[in-house]
Every structure is written in C-alpha cells, then in structure tokens.
Amino acid sequence: MENLKLAAKTDRQRTVINVRGVEVGRDFVVIAGPCSVESESQTIETAMAVKAAGGDLLRGGAFKPRTSPYAFQGLGLQGLKILAKAREETGLPIVTEVIDPRDVTWVAEFADILQIGTRNMQNYALLKEVGRVGKPILLKRGMYSTLSEWLNCAEYILSEGNPDVILCERGIRTFETYTRNTLDLSAVPAIKELSHLPIIIDPTHSTGRISLIAPMSMASVAAGADGLIIEVHNNPSEALCDADQALTPDLFADLMKRLRPLQGFLKSVQN
Ligand code: PEP
Ligand code: MN
C-alpha cells in the first residue's frame, strides 16, 4: 500500500498501547457504555454494570455527530465531567468522541482515548489536531472508505507525532438494508497483514440489531480482533440516541460470559 511510512506493517513488533494499565493490542479489550452521556445516574449505573460484567473501558459520547441538527447533540463539558466521575467510581478508563478540532486539547484532558467517528474519518484538520495530543486515538473506519483510505487517515495522525492509533471497523454502507451497515470482518485479518496497529470491532453500529451483536462479537474474536466496542445502556428504551441497538446490562453480562472462554480457546489454537 502506497505512502504508508508509519502505519505499514514492519518487522517491528505490533503496536501495544497502555491505557491506565489496559494493554490495547496485547489483551483482548472490551469497551462498553452508552451511545451518549445523558445524565450522571444513567452513566454511572451503566459504568458499574460494565465493570461488574468484566468490561475494560467505558465509552460514552459527550459530543454527538447526529444526522439531524435537531437530535440530541450531547451534554458537552457536563458530559465529560460525568464521564470523569464514572471513571473515578469504577476505575474504568474512558473513551469519548471529539468532533471539532477546536475542542481537541481540552477534551483530551478528560478522555483516556479520543474517538474519531466514521463521519470524521477524513476530516484532515481534526486528524492533524489529534495527532498532536498525548492521548491514544480510536479511529473509526469511514462508512464509505477503503482500507487504504482508512490507513492513510491513521498515517495523518501518526505523522503528526502521535504513535497511539487504534483502528475500529464499524460497518460500511452496502445495498443491504436489514442491517444498519455491513460489518466487514475481513478488515481484521487484512489490517493485520497491512499494519502494526491494533484493530477492534464495533458490532453495535455495524449491525444495528441487538440479536446480531453477540454472534458478531464472537466472530470478531475468531477473526483475530484486538477488542470490541459495544453500546450498553442501563435502560435502553429511554436512551436519547441509538435506543434500538443498546444492550441491557444483563445481555452484556451474558455476552461477556460467552466471550472470555472463546478468547482462551482461540489463543490455544493460534499458538
Ligand atoms: C458512536 O460510537 O456513538 C458513533 C457515533 O459511531 P460511528 O461514528 O461509528 O457512527
Ligand atoms: Mn451510537
């Protein structure tokens, strides 16, 4: 693949990113939490459930890139403060999205990992800005993007001096309408062939269907992914964003119980 000076696979070891003791790229990591931070009780209750089920990091959006300008846009600074409180209470590091280059520096003071969403994958000003902060970046694949375009966006971040990029496949647009997007699981082994960067799967936004999240999570482990990012809400029917696709704490706990033995089994057959 052309022009990948820093993102391309080399003889060097694969990238491992330490996030408050969680080693992304070495451990199989599960990031879970609500689509958006809506209130302190919603976020903290969900965070406790994620922690109890064995999740490794907490996700939650304080800035939401919504299709409609009239939809809930997130709580902004108040949401970040709530996330920091949830981290304090559970010990879970936090992953949150940044959508505006002007916000990167101060959002990075709260976040442990900054997320770049699918709609902003090719926002080069934003990529350059997050390339200059000292926090790892979760770079979601653009919904219309090739692997080459995606890796070039990672290259933008790396070339600004930030070596800590985690790729996230979250589904691409195809002619299929039954699922919200089409999960391209082949991206996992393909990215492993092309790059040293860790890659995780988002089974929530890729399928948009509760019933498909567990099977595709299991398939992600089998494909060799470095982790998952899953939406969980303490009361999905009242969620202000992506209500139809959030797992309840019980469903999430059930999935975690099935995932962990599978990881052990796969390790034993891969080595
Ligand atoms: C999200 O993670 O809540 C999100 C908006 O994801 P994506 O950018 O993949 O649509
Ligand atoms: Mn969402």
Side-chain angles (χ1 to χ4, degrees):
M1 211 159 263
E2 278 173 48
N3 296 324
L4 296 180
K5 294 187 181 163
L6 300 166
K9 191 174 171 185
T10 59
D11 294 338
R12 282 191 304 121
Q13 296 213 317
R14 305 196 64 81
T15 289
V16 174
I17 303 167
N18 191 313
V19 187
R20 292 181 183 259
V22 180
E23 297 208 287
V24 184
R26 180 166 296 129
D27 310 330
F28 185 89
V29 298
V30 178
I31 305 169
C35 182
S36 52
V37 175
E38 297 162 9
S39 71
E40 188 170 312
S41 60
Q42 168 251 8
T43 304
I44 292 185
E45 262 180 48
T46 306
M48 301 270 209
V50 166
K51 172 83 177 179
D56 302 294
L57 295 101
L58 176 68
R59 62 149 288 148
F63 295 95
K64 297 305 300 177
R66 303 302 299 279
T67 302
S68 163
Y70 308 118
F72 177 58
Q73 304 282 309
L75 296 179
L77 173 61
Q78 191 198 345
L80 295 171
K81 287 183 177 165
I82 292 172
L83 284 170
K85 188 150 191 216
R87 174 176 56 206
E88 221 173 86
E89 303 236 339
T90 59
L92 296 174
I94 55 184
V95 182
T96 197
E97 182 163 355
V98 63
I99 60 180
D100 188 322
R102 294 167 296 188
D103 295 336
V104 168
T105 314
W106 68 269
V107 174
E109 285 171 22
F110 290 88
D112 296 300
I113 297 179
L114 287 170
Q115 176 174 320
I116 301 293
T118 191
R119 294 160 187 82
N120 274 316
M121 185 199 82
Q122 284 180 311
N123 180 338
Y124 299 117
L126 186 59
L127 296 178
K128 285 185 183 174
E129 203 59 44
V130 299
R132 297 185 200 119
V133 290
K135 289 287 165 74
I137 309 302
L138 181 68
L139 179 64
K140 287 194 148 193
R141 179 180 182 179
M143 60 182 93
Y144 300 106
S145 302
T146 64
L147 299 182
S148 168
E149 287 162 342
W150 188 16
L151 286 171
N152 271 284
C153 290
E155 189 78 22
Y156 262 89
I157 301 170
L158 300 171
S159 65
E160 290 294 327
N162 187 342
D164 296 332
V165 176
I166 303 156
L167 299 166
C168 176
E169 158 65 33
R170 49 78 70 205
I172 49 176
R173 284 231 167 135
T174 67
F175 51 81
E176 185 53 71
T177 54
Y178 184 70
T179 48
R180 183 170 172 176
N181 292 281
T182 296
L183 176 57
D184 177 13
L185 261 190
S186 68
V188 173
I191 288 288
K192 299 257 170 194
E193 273 174 14
L194 295 167
S195 176
H196 54 85
L197 297 172
I199 173 167
I200 69 168
I201 294 291
D202 177 342
T204 304
H205 294 90
S206 52
T207 66
R209 285 185 175 263
I210 303 272
S211 61
L212 303 186
I213 292 173
M216 296 322 287
S217 297
M218 312 277 265
S220 303
V221 178
D226 294 296
L228 295 165
I229 179 164
I230 302 175
E231 284 187 355
V232 178
H233 194 288
N234 65 331
N235 188 0
S237 60
E238 291 190 0
L240 294 179
C241 176
D242 287 350
D244 297 342
Q245 62 184 31
L247 296 184
T248 59
D250 282 353
L251 282 175
F252 178 65
D254 185 58
L255 168 58
M256 290 298 284
K257 267 190 213 129
R258 290 191 283 155
L259 271 182
R260 293 301 187 199
L262 187 60
Q263 287 154 30
F265 172 72
L266 269 145
K267 243 185 197 158
S268 72
V269 293
Q270 277 160 352
N271 296 327

